[in-house]
């Protein structure tokens, strides 16, 4: 009855119906036995809950709207294999299911189940081409200034202590606290400039320090120290304040703050961190999406990684390759932008996984290379056997030193002043008035990879091959605009990652529907266009 009614109501099909016909059962209950105990009250089918969660993000619905769709939408009943009179379930079941997915790597295992079905259906394969890019994700909590963070951290701790032991807290309360922390802390522009801001911040500091001192007193109940917001208050005070030589609590200047990867921006989500990338500033996370891009198959998301915002793209390259190899979906060619690759990563990808990491290597940023009128690094020949560099004039370096910079190893070759000072090309080689020229190169294998890639990426053939990377931008745009990727629905890194995995699976669902949609996409000609065509005019 459900099948007949669904096709009568939707003769062209819907994405849910097309997915059901192509993949049959995407998730079976047996795939989720490890999520549930063997005894207890019966639950709604976990396989169907998983599919409902994917459909929910495909249409960017709330939990309540998704549960209503299960009860009222014919195409959803068709996709889920339900009878028309099936009553569905309460919307709270969806949040309980996501909480189970947030434990360990269960969300990634759910994505793996879908990918296995796609591989079995011949819609996805390994050793093809894949591409990766990242975008920023806004946290679900309000973005706070440093001053608001200090005040709101005190308020959050007071709220939690009040719930845990109100009688202990009453003697500590000062008359101004009711007005200061009775409502959420919202501070606009503070009159009086930096001095007034510092005074207000140190006012919050004294209140918070009084509370922390009392909590850690010997006669205080031990359970208060274990409260989450009390520990968060302590961490915020470490990040934002310091003790001066006179023993006074002081507000840190911006230049004295810990790095953004260590401090957080809200007491309600300690995984939300501040970050700046070019002209974008945000507090939240960063999501890395990898998709297949073979011409004869649908473009499907194969990997999703969620990190705190300050984590740089290049730190995820090895993890993406390792995860894809574990899933037996490692590509033969992985197309990325500059942020994801370095000579060392190119070498590792090829050596460990047989992956060609394709992308523009960072250009030579030396003064000579930028001016394109001097002797850049490429103008020097390297004699690796004798550990020497030879300049364009034939002079040989006199020293060869190993350097360690930012975790990378370099070899520095320095030339003698007796060779550099009388050189007629000195102005083109170095800007030093008296010193000699030196160059720093990577170890031989990495240096050769770097030089070769810098030459290759200037060719038209390489640029045509690399042009396919642009497609990942449209995938990110689709997930942001259609599936709500830009803002996290939940607090915390693990729950946000569950959202991103379900969003990726929703994207795959829509891609499958479009791949199998045989409806003609030819645009109907306008009356004027038809007239011009009949009159012999060509419209380009």
């Amino acid at each position: 009855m459900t099948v007949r009614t669904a096709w009568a109501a939707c003769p062209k099909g819907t994405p849910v119906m097309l997915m059901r016909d192509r993949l049959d059962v995407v998730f079976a209950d047996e795939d989720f036995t490890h999520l549930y105990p063997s005894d207890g009250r019966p639950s709604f089918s976990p396989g169907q809950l998983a599919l409902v969660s994917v459909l929910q993000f495909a249409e960017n619905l709330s939990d309540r709207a998704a549960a209503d769709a299960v009860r009222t939408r014919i195409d959803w009943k068709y996709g889920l294999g339900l009878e028309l009179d099936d009553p569905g379930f309460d919307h709270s079941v969806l949040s309980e299911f996501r909480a189970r997915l947030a434990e360990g790597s269960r969300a990634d295992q759910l994505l793996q189940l879908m990918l296995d079905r796609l591989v079995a259906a011949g819609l996805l394969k390994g050793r093809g081409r894949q591409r990766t890019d990242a975008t920023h994700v806004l946290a679900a909590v309000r973005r706070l200034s440093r001053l608001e963070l200090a005040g709101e951290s005190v308020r959050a701790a007071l709220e939690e202590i009040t719930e845990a032991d109100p009688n202990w807290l009453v003697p500590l309360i000062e008359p101004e606290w009711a007005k200061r922390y009775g409502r959420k802390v919202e501070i606009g522009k503070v009159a009086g400039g930096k001095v007034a801001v510092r005074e207000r911040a140190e006012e919050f500091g004294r209140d918070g320090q009084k509370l922390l001192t009392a909590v850690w007193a010997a006669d205080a109940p031990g359970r208060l120290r274990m409260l989450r917001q009390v520990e968060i208050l302590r961490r915020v005070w470490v990040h934002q304040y310091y003790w001066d030589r006179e023993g006074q609590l002081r507000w840190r200047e911006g230049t004295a703050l810990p790095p953004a990867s260590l401090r957080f921006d809200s007491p309600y989500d300690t995984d939300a961190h501040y970050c700046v990338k070019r002209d974008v500033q945000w507090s939240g996370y960063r999501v890395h999406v990898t998709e297949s891009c073979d011409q004869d198959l649908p473009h499907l998301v194969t990997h999703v990684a969620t990190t705190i915002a300050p984590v740089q793209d290049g730190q995820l390259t090895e993890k993406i390759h390792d995860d894809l190899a574990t899933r037996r979906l490692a590509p033969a060619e992985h197309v990325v932008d500059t942020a994801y690759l370095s000579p060392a990563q190119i070498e590792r990808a090829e050596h460990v996984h047989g992956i060609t990491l394709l992308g523009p290597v960072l250009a030579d940023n030396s003064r000579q290379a930028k001016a394109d009128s001097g002797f850049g690094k490429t103008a020097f020949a390297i004699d690796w056997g004798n550990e020497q560099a030879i300049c364009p004039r034939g002079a040989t370096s006199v020293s060869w030193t190993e350097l360690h910079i930012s975790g990378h190893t370099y070899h520095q070759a320095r030339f003698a002043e007796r060779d550099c000072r009388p050189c007629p090309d000195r102005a083109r080689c170095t800007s030093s008035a008296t010193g000699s020229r030196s160059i720093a190169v990577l170890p031989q294998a990495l240096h050769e990879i770097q030089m070769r890639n810098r030459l290759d990426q200037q060719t038209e053939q390489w640029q045509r091959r690399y042009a396919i990377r642009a497609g990942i931008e449209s995938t990110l745009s689709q997930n942001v605009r259609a599936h709500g990727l830009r803002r996290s629905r939940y607090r915390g890194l693990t729950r946000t990652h569950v959202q991103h995995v379900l969003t990726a699976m929703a994207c795959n669902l829509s891609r499958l529907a479009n791949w199998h949609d045989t409806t003609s996409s030819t645009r109907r000609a306008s009356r004027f266009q038809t007239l011009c065509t009949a009159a012999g005019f060509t419209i380009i």
Side-chain angles (χ1 to χ4, degrees):
M1 178 63 72
T2 302
V3 175
R4 186 166 61 252
T5 305
W7 282 109
C10 308
K12 295 182 179 180
T14 67
V16 187
M17 296 167 64
L18 295 173
M19 178 211 62
R20 176 74 181 196
D21 288 347
R22 188 66 182 86
L23 298 179
D24 194 18
V25 178
V26 182
F27 306 113
D29 290 346
E30 294 76 17
D31 298 327
F32 300 92
T33 54
H34 61 289
L35 296 185
Y36 294 88
S38 57
D39 55 358
R41 62 183 176 85
S43 65
F44 193 78
S45 165
Q48 291 175 337
L49 277 177
L51 185 54
V52 170
S53 299
V54 175
L55 297 177
Q56 173 186 2
F57 282 87
E59 301 189 18
N60 201 16
L61 301 177
S62 65
D63 288 355
R64 193 179 296 274
D68 289 341
V70 173
R71 284 189 291 270
T72 60
R73 293 265 298 268
I74 296 176
D75 61 332
W76 279 43
K77 289 182 179 293
Y78 181 98
L80 293 166
L82 300 176
E83 296 295 338
L84 288 177
D85 58 353
D86 191 288
F89 53 84
D90 186 79
H91 69 277
S92 62
V93 175
L94 288 172
S95 63
E96 295 173 1
F97 182 71
R98 286 195 304 272
R100 296 178 187 273
L101 291 181
E103 299 175 7
S105 59
R106 290 173 175 176
D108 295 314
Q109 294 171 11
L110 185 64
L111 176 60
Q112 182 63 46
L113 288 174
M114 172 177 269
L115 297 178
D116 289 342
R117 301 290 191 273
L118 294 170
V119 170
L123 298 170
L124 182 64
K125 64 180 182 180
R127 307 313 300 172
R129 303 185 77 189
Q130 295 187 34
R131 54 197 176 194
T132 299
D133 203 2
T135 190
H136 63 283
V137 177
L138 305 178
V141 296
R142 177 169 60 107
R143 181 176 171 181
L144 304 176
S145 66
R146 288 182 59 204
L147 196 57
E148 290 173 325
L149 171 62
E152 194 65 22
S153 297
V154 176
R155 190 180 81 89
L158 290 172
E159 289 287 338
E160 196 168 33
I161 294 174
T162 300
E163 182 180 1
D165 196 338
N167 295 329
W168 178 86
L169 181 60
V170 169
L172 292 176
I173 298 176
E174 297 182 4
E176 299 84 2
W177 285 15
K179 180 179 179 181
R180 196 175 296 163
Y181 306 113
R183 299 178 180 178
K184 69 178 181 180
V185 178
E186 294 182 291
I187 303 173
K189 185 176 181 180
V190 179
K194 291 184 178 180
V195 175
V197 170
R198 187 182 300 108
E199 291 176 354
R200 186 78 176 273
E202 292 178 357
E203 185 178 72
F204 289 144
R206 289 189 292 271
D207 295 342
Q209 190 60 38
K210 177 181 179 180
L211 192 60
L212 290 171
T213 302
V215 166
W216 260 268
D219 58 345
R223 67 181 183 279
L224 297 182
R225 301 166 197 159
M226 305 302 294
L227 295 177
R228 182 173 183 271
Q229 291 297 337
V230 171
E231 172 60 19
I232 289 175
L233 177 64
R234 185 193 67 80
R235 291 171 61 189
V236 170
W237 258 231
V238 172
H239 296 162
Q240 305 293 338
Y241 295 92
Y242 71 98
W243 296 98
D244 64 12
R245 294 181 178 179
E246 287 74 30
Q248 298 296 317
L249 191 68
R250 299 299 183 190
W251 180 244
R252 289 185 186 273
E253 297 295 332
T255 55
L257 290 172
S261 59
L262 297 180
R263 55 188 167 88
F264 44 85
D265 293 342
S266 172
Y268 306 112
D269 187 354
T270 56
D271 291 330
H273 294 254
Y274 176 77
C275 188
V276 178
K277 185 176 181 179
R278 291 188 288 272
D279 57 344
V280 179
Q281 303 178 27
W282 79 99
S283 178
Y285 308 92
R286 191 180 302 208
V287 58
H288 304 257
V289 177
T290 303
E291 69 168 358
S292 61
C293 52
D294 298 303
Q295 292 185 354
D296 56 339
L297 293 173
H299 297 170
L300 302 171
V301 177
T302 58
H303 188 274
V304 180
T306 308
T307 67
I308 61 174
V311 174
Q312 298 304 304
D313 297 349
Q315 297 176 247
L316 271 293
T317 305
E318 294 182 6
K319 173 179 171 52
I320 293 171
H321 290 168
D322 294 343
D323 290 349
L324 289 174
T326 301
R327 297 174 181 176
R328 300 177 184 175
L329 288 174
E333 183 174 79
H334 188 196
V335 189
V336 296
D337 61 21
T338 303
Y340 283 95
L341 84 169
S342 66
Q345 288 166 329
I346 293 174
E347 182 189 43
R348 181 186 186 274
E350 179 65 35
H351 178 72
V352 177
H353 299 296
I355 298 174
T356 299
L357 192 58
L358 180 66
V361 173
L362 193 65
D364 186 354
N365 290 319
S366 65
R367 177 186 64 84
Q368 297 88 344
K370 287 181 178 180
D372 197 25
S373 60
F375 295 146
K377 193 182 299 183
T378 56
F380 291 78
I382 308 297
D383 183 353
W384 297 101
N386 295 318
E387 296 185 341
Q388 292 178 328
I390 304 170
C391 81
R393 283 285 181 176
T396 302
S397 60
V398 294
S399 68
W400 184 269
T401 309
E402 185 173 290
L403 302 177
H404 298 279
I405 305 174
S406 301
H408 301 283
T409 301
Y410 293 88
H411 298 297
Q412 185 184 52
R414 181 173 295 279
F415 292 84
E417 292 187 11
R418 64 177 180 273
D419 293 326
C420 290
R421 284 188 177 181
C423 180
D425 290 322
R426 179 182 178 83
R428 300 174 58 194
C429 191
T430 179
S431 59
S432 174
T434 58
S436 60
R437 176 69 187 271
S438 66
I439 61 169
V441 296
L442 293 166
Q444 182 177 0
L446 302 184
H447 176 77
E448 291 173 353
I449 290 173
Q450 184 183 60
M451 294 297 105
R452 182 172 62 250
N453 278 264
R454 283 177 177 172
L455 290 175
D456 289 347
Q457 64 198 38
Q458 304 300 321
T459 64
E460 183 178 350
Q461 179 183 2
W462 185 95
Q463 292 172 6
R464 284 198 304 267
R465 184 178 163 199
Y466 181 70
I468 199 171
R469 194 210 72 88
I472 191 65
E473 303 286 354
S474 65
T475 299
L476 292 175
S477 178
Q478 175 186 354
N479 283 284
V480 167
R481 297 172 186 273
H483 307 309
L485 183 67
R486 178 64 71 214
R487 181 175 289 277
S488 175
R489 294 187 180 197
Y490 317 111
R491 299 178 185 179
L493 182 64
T494 56
R495 290 178 180 267
T496 299
H497 180 61
V498 171
Q499 174 186 341
H500 294 164
V501 170
L502 293 173
T503 300
M505 298 170 69
C507 178
N508 286 347
L509 173 64
S510 63
R511 294 284 176 87
L512 287 175
N514 293 333
W515 179 256
H516 291 288
D517 187 3
T518 58
T519 305
S520 175
S521 59
T522 303
R523 182 179 298 176
R524 186 177 64 179
S526 66
R527 295 185 181 90
F528 179 69
Q529 183 179 359
T530 304
L531 176 63
C532 291
T533 303
F537 297 102
T538 302
I539 299 178
I540 301 177

